[in-house]
Amino acid sequence: MSLLLHLFALSLLISVSGAKFSGRPGINYGQLGNNLPSPSDSVNLIKSLNAKRVKLYDANPKILAALNGTDITVSVMVPNELLVNISKSASLSDDWIRSNILPFYPTTKIRYLLVGNEILSLPDSELKSSLVPAMRKIQRSLKSLGVEKVKVGTTLATDVLQSSFPPSSGEFREDISGLIMKPMLQFLNRTKSFLFVDVYPYFAWAQDPTHVDLDYAIFESTNVTVTDPVTNLTYHNLFDQMIDAFVFAMKRLGYPDLRIWVAETGWPNNGDYDQIGANIYNAATYNRNVVKKLAADPPVGTPARPGKVLPAFVFALYNENQKTGPGTERHFGLLHPNGTQVYGIDLSGKMEYKESLPAPDNNELYKGKIWCVVAKGANWTQLGDALSYACSQGNNTCDPIQRGGPCQKPDLTVLHASYAFSSYWAQFRKIGGTCSFNGLATQTIKDPSYGRCEFPSVTL
């Protein structure tokens, strides 16, 4: 090799090995909707948001094929229900990689493989104890099958921490700290992977809006700061505070330098009447600000890790109408299912926003009566089972819609279901009952009572 060629090869090696790891956030692509664009249209929409990374909640072959040949790096996921079996079987782990990764790698830029989603928040003890063994099996399968560029991890919700305030007190829950987190951190450290965490200032603020400042939660605070009394680090937003609680929790177990990846963060653009602060103004403000922070060059980092890149995925690409739970769950999207933006947003962090946003109208808790009724567009064929379930719970939940009752209308299943939903919710809301019924129900502040038929309500 000539000296000139040698120098060229050396300079190429240096430039490749020193390639900058970008903080520009990617997007979470959930698929729990019956009205979402096709995978190929979705990939074009992802590009239109200037996202360079995408995270899937499975290894959907149609989506992976649509991402083939693009410059978008991809994170895929092993479904929760496979973990126990994979943890016990190297051949099953190999088969999963052969079926789901090898047909697409490397022309689809799969770079991250997450083993399960928020496993340590679930009650299943066998599933939890299978997590790290499954991660090890998947890692070995990737190596033995020649897949070299894929990092293995798993996602954690903030409830894995038993202490998070002040951030320096960050500590993993006692039931998982030694048995699961320590070997997991050892694995992630050895494989140079990341701790993938789901961080939602929205939920932390909504649980205590009296004591947590909204502007502090959406990166708009000019005069609210929090100083950690142990480290003297000063925090200007809730997001940094939540991230650093994980930093100190890892430090406590002997892993002070393991990198963090924000697997999910976002803010809902709508929700139920009993959900505070879920609106377009707050969602746009939070997401624009978090993108600007994450994409900053040079990187900003957090008080405990200043100047460090913090990679992330914003949640989510679409409002997904088949997600269960409270209304916010169906309203985290940057896009409507028809592909239009809920509000102007760009993931490069470089866009200047000139549009005026609708003023927020629910930043304070709603006070008054709320009812739970059949949602517009609900699948009527599923109402019978939901009605039966609601009526089987509690005391005399559905007596008024029985034969001879003041609310009985033999031919109006929708009316009976609305009564049952309201009656169930009025009884069970205080202990965690929701007005959801797998997306069949919605909240209303318009009293559905008629004649002698009075619908039970929740009063806030």
Side-chain angles (χ1 to χ4, degrees), residues 59 116 164 206 236 264 268 277 282 334 344 381 432 436 451:
S164 60
H236 296 269
E264 290 181 13
N282 292 346
L334 303 187
T381 60
S436 174

Side-chain angles (χ1 to χ4, degrees), residues 296-377:
D297 187 14
V300 179
T302 66
R305 289 182 172 175
K308 300 289 185 187
V309 171
L310 185 60
F313 295 104
V314 173
F315 189 84
L317 183 58
Y318 299 116
N319 284 340
E320 299 169 61
N321 68 349
Q322 291 183 311
K323 289 201 77 178
T324 58
T328 48
E329 289 297 307
R330 293 176 287 285
H331 292 94
F332 271 91
L334 303 187
L335 306 179
H336 294 292
N338 65 7
T340 61
Q341 294 195 351
V342 178
Y343 44 84
I345 185 82
D346 177 275
L347 299 183
S348 70
K350 294 173 182 170
M351 181 178 276
E352 294 294 326
Y353 302 100
K354 295 193 169 65
E355 68 173 316
S356 58
L357 296 166
D361 59 2
N362 62 353
N363 283 349
E364 293 182 3
L365 284 168
Y366 174 80
K367 289 183 171 58
K369 290 184 174 182
I370 311 176
W371 292 264
C372 181
V373 296
V374 173
K376 185 181 177 184

Side-chain angles (χ1 to χ4, degrees), residues 27-185:
I27 190 76
N28 282 283
Y29 179 178
Q31 303 157 58
L32 296 176
N34 60 9
N35 54 356
L36 301 181
S38 69
S40 56
D41 286 344
S42 295
V43 169
N44 287 330
L45 289 166
I46 289 166
K47 290 176 181 175
S48 77
L49 291 168
N50 277 316
K52 298 293 187 185
R53 297 173 177 141
V54 64
K55 173 167 151 260
L56 310 181
Y57 291 85
D58 54 16
N60 185 304
K62 290 180 180 175
I63 298 175
L64 291 176
L67 286 160
N68 181 51
T70 69
D71 65 348
I72 299 170
T73 58
V74 185
S75 172
V76 296
M77 190 174 282
V78 180
N80 291 5
E81 58 269 20
L82 296 183
L83 260 63
V84 172
N85 290 337
I86 282 177
S87 73
K88 298 172 183 172
S89 169
S91 64
L92 193 62
S93 175
D94 287 350
D95 288 346
W96 195 90
I97 299 299
R98 279 195 196 96
S99 302
N100 295 281
I101 304 299
L102 294 190
F104 305 100
Y105 181 88
T107 52
T108 297
K109 293 172 70 174
I110 300 168
R111 293 291 180 268
Y112 309 97
L113 208 174
L114 300 175
V115 181
N117 191 42
E118 297 189 348
I119 294 292
L120 299 184
S121 301
L122 301 173
D124 187 332
S125 56
E126 185 185 17
L127 189 58
K128 285 189 275 200
S129 61
S130 301
L131 177 55
V132 178
M135 292 168 72
R136 291 191 188 117
K137 287 281 195 308
I138 290 288
Q139 172 68 26
R140 284 179 193 136
S141 295
L142 288 168
K143 193 172 180 182
S144 68
L145 293 168
V147 180
E148 296 176 351
K149 292 183 177 178
V150 177
K151 300 286 186 194
V152 174
T154 190
T155 65
L156 306 176
T158 48
D159 63 2
V160 300
L161 299 175
Q162 71 179 21
S163 173
S164 60
F165 184 80
S168 62
S169 74
E171 187 174 8
F172 292 108
R173 290 193 331 251
E174 206 172 313
D175 63 306
I176 59 172
S177 183
L179 288 173
I180 301 172
M181 287 311 306
K182 190 141 193 180
M184 182 195 292
L185 296 176

Side-chain angles (χ1 to χ4, degrees), residues 372-375 378-388 390-391 398 401 407-422 440 450 455:
C372 181
V373 296
V374 173
N379 185 337
W380 288 18
T381 60
Q382 296 172 355
L383 283 181
D385 288 344
L387 174 60
S388 299
C391 290
C398 291
I401 57 174
C407 300
Q408 197 228 0
K409 296 277 186 183
D411 302 323
L412 295 177
T413 304
V414 173
L415 205 63
H416 281 188
S418 287
Y419 182 91
F421 293 171
S422 273
L440 296 174
Y450 60 92
F455 279 51

